[in-house]
Amino acid sequence: QVQLVESGGGVVQAGGSLRLSCVASGSISSINAMGWSRQASGKQRELVARISSGGSTNYAESVQGRFTISRDNAMNTVYLQMNSLKPEDTAVYYCNADYVSMWNARRNSWGQGTQVTVSS
């Protein structure tokens, strides 16, 4: 069993910053890509940012230049630094990881989500 636990969400004014963290724990042999997605009320979940095990990143166009994804491989942790937040960034943010289990099976897991609310 693998768990992803997000933290760092909250309420912030437009223009402010938040840093999300996600820790993966459980029967993990190695973690490949990790990422963040978000789902606003009434909308489909969308990819925000993704980072490979080697550190290559990609971002949604809507957050390019404002958000930065990073990871600590030793701690099985991925971060999302969000700057210059806008009301349209309001959503539940979910962490995701592609990993290899202790039994050498490739799996994908999601966290429970953390709410980010940006007030105007």
Side-chain angles (χ1 to χ4, degrees):
Q1 192 79 5
V2 172
Q3 285 189 316
L4 299 179
V5 179
E6 302 103 333
S7 61
V11 180
V12 64
Q13 287 190 332
S17 298
L18 283 175
R19 188 191 196 207
L20 305 184
S21 299
C22 172
V23 181
S25 62
S27 303
I28 299 171
S29 175
S30 63
I31 299 178
N32 299 319
M34 301 185 80
W36 292 92
S37 295
R38 67 186 180 187
Q39 187 166 18
S41 180
K43 295 187 178 181
Q44 289 188 331
R45 191 175 297 190
E46 62 173 354
L47 176 67
V48 175
R50 197 157 173 86
I51 184 168
S52 71
S53 57
S56 297
T57 58
N58 62 283
Y59 297 91
E61 186 175 342
S62 59
V63 307
Q64 186 79 40
R66 299 188 298 122
F67 291 10
T68 302
I69 189 170
S70 61
R71 64 189 286 175
D72 183 335
N73 291 331
M75 300 297 290
N76 287 347
T77 301
V78 63
Y79 305 97
L80 186 67
Q81 177 66 44
M82 305 185 293
N83 298 328
S84 303
L85 283 160
K86 304 175 181 180
E88 51 263 43
D89 294 319
T90 295
V92 178
Y93 284 70
Y94 297 91
C95 174
N96 175 259
D98 293 328
Y99 65 94
V100 178
S101 74
M102 291 294 189
W103 298 273
N104 209 35
R106 297 193 66 172
R107 294 283 185 264
N108 182 273
S109 186
W110 290 87
Q112 292 299 306
T114 184
Q115 177 71 46
V116 171
T117 301
V118 185
S119 61
S120 58

